[in-house]
Amino acid sequence: MSFFGLGRSATKGARAPKRSPTIPDQLSTGGDASATLSPSSPITPGGSPGSRSPARRHSDLEREQRERQGPPPLYLSQPFVKAALVKGNFKTIVMLPKWVDVNEWVAINIFEFYTNLNLFYGVLTEFCTLSSCTTMAAGNTLEYTWIDSNRKQVKLPAPTYVDYVFTWVQNLLEDKTIFPTDSGRPFPQTFASTAKHIYRQLLRVFAHIFHSHYAHLLHLQSEPHFNSLFAHFLAFGKEYDLLDIKDIRGQPGQRVGVGDLWEKWREMGILEG
């Protein structure tokens, strides 16, 4: 598989560039401070709050959060968590083909993930509106925020946030100095860093769709397709070090909803540990 034909396909039906306050690689995770959970420190029988190890306290915090949140989301419930087009482990799918340059392999897969995610979101735009998705929510206590030109965190409606991300990725794909399409033209030394930035932003779009629009995917009977796309995305990101665990799991009090799905799929053998 070659990446040299990307230039023709990437420009077909390209999104019109839009002006945004800043570039998405300056986006940050953030949440309303009032929404952050602050449970009391667990106390062991006959012990003090500090007698537990940090790992145990972290585990207890997550358990208390799950108990407060009530029943699991649909994407973690049976039979939806098992819905997939691809059965088994994704390891063989993401392996680098023989004689293929690793940068080309990463580039073409990023293009495919972006294209497919863009198509899925396009189907959901009638449900993801300025009034229904007033923030870029990706968990019960997590909202992604935008850092503007004044370095201030700004909450944006999800449609605006997603449009900024997609426009930014589209512009990068069309930049031949970053994604070269001519034979013999090397990738820039900053390509790995750029790829990780793109991956982080696409993960956030996935996370919002799972959190806010999975019921709509069920009505469209598209959950096997979307689950498989996301599992492929996670497996590829893990294989080529494009994802940080903290981006998948989130932080105590601000967990990413799909972090639990990632853990569940690891237990099921769909993703490697």
Side-chain angles (χ1 to χ4, degrees):
M1 182 180 296
S2 174
F3 177 62
F4 298 134
L6 176 60
R8 293 187 294 274
S9 57
T11 56
K12 184 178 181 180
R15 297 167 57 89
K18 294 188 176 182
R19 186 179 300 276
S20 60
T22 183
I23 57 175
D25 63 356
Q26 292 177 318
L27 297 177
S28 67
T29 58
D32 191 338
S34 62
T36 303
L37 299 177
S38 301
S40 58
S41 300
I43 303 178
T44 58
S48 62
S51 62
R52 292 195 177 194
S53 67
R56 285 291 299 277
R57 289 197 297 271
H58 180 75
S59 176
D60 289 338
L61 176 60
E62 291 184 342
R63 176 176 54 79
E64 290 183 15
Q65 289 172 1
R66 286 193 295 268
E67 291 174 353
R68 295 187 184 191
Q69 291 167 2
L74 288 173
Y75 56 81
L76 287 176
S77 306
Q78 299 291 351
F80 311 125
V81 71
K82 293 182 178 180
L85 296 180
V86 179
K87 302 298 181 182
N89 193 284
F90 278 76
K91 181 72 173 180
T92 56
I93 298 178
V94 303
M95 292 300 294
L96 180 68
K98 193 174 183 179
W99 312 122
V100 175
D101 177 75
V102 65
N103 285 332
E104 287 189 9
W105 184 235
V106 169
I108 191 61
N109 275 273
I110 285 179
F111 171 71
E112 294 295 340
F113 290 135
Y114 160 75
T115 300
N116 284 281
L117 183 58
N118 199 348
L119 290 173
F120 268 106
Y121 184 75
V123 175
L124 298 170
T125 51
E126 63 179 299
F127 309 110
C128 188
T129 65
L130 297 177
S131 58
S132 65
C133 297
T134 56
T135 62
M136 187 65 175
N140 291 334
T141 58
L142 174 64
E143 296 171 349
Y144 294 123
T145 56
W146 190 280
I147 297 181
D148 64 14
S149 57
N150 296 320
R151 306 299 299 172
K152 293 183 178 180
Q153 292 186 0
V154 180
K155 290 185 179 181
L156 296 176
T160 304
Y161 189 110
V162 173
D163 186 68
Y164 285 166
V165 172
F166 281 166
T167 300
W168 173 69
V169 174
Q170 180 71 48
N171 290 338
L172 287 176
L173 289 172
E174 294 176 353
D175 188 340
K176 293 185 178 181
T177 65
I178 300 174
F179 285 80
T181 57
D182 297 328
S183 178
R185 185 168 184 172
F187 284 83
Q189 294 182 352
T190 58
F191 178 73
S193 175
T194 300
K196 292 191 70 170
H197 280 304
I198 293 175
Y199 230 79
R200 182 181 299 116
Q201 307 315 322
L202 295 184
L203 173 64
R204 294 178 178 186
V205 179
F206 272 113
H208 174 72
I209 292 176
F210 270 103
H211 176 71
S212 300
H213 303 294
Y214 198 74
H216 301 130
L217 291 174
L218 294 180
H219 285 299
L220 296 171
Q221 298 182 337
S222 299
E223 73 278 6
H225 304 73
F226 197 69
N227 282 3
S228 292
L229 175 63
F230 187 52
H232 188 185
F233 176 84
L234 291 177
F236 192 88
K238 178 80 161 46
E239 180 70 21
Y240 298 97
D241 196 28
L242 298 171
L243 283 175
D244 290 329
I245 298 300
K246 64 180 181 180
D247 290 327
I248 302 175
R249 289 178 173 170
Q251 302 175 358
Q254 289 185 322
R255 284 187 60 83
V256 183
V258 293
D260 293 329
L261 182 60
W262 177 70
E263 295 282 3
K264 185 66 174 179
W265 281 346
R266 289 174 62 196
E267 294 175 4
M268 296 167 58
I270 296 174
L271 300 175
E272 290 196 345

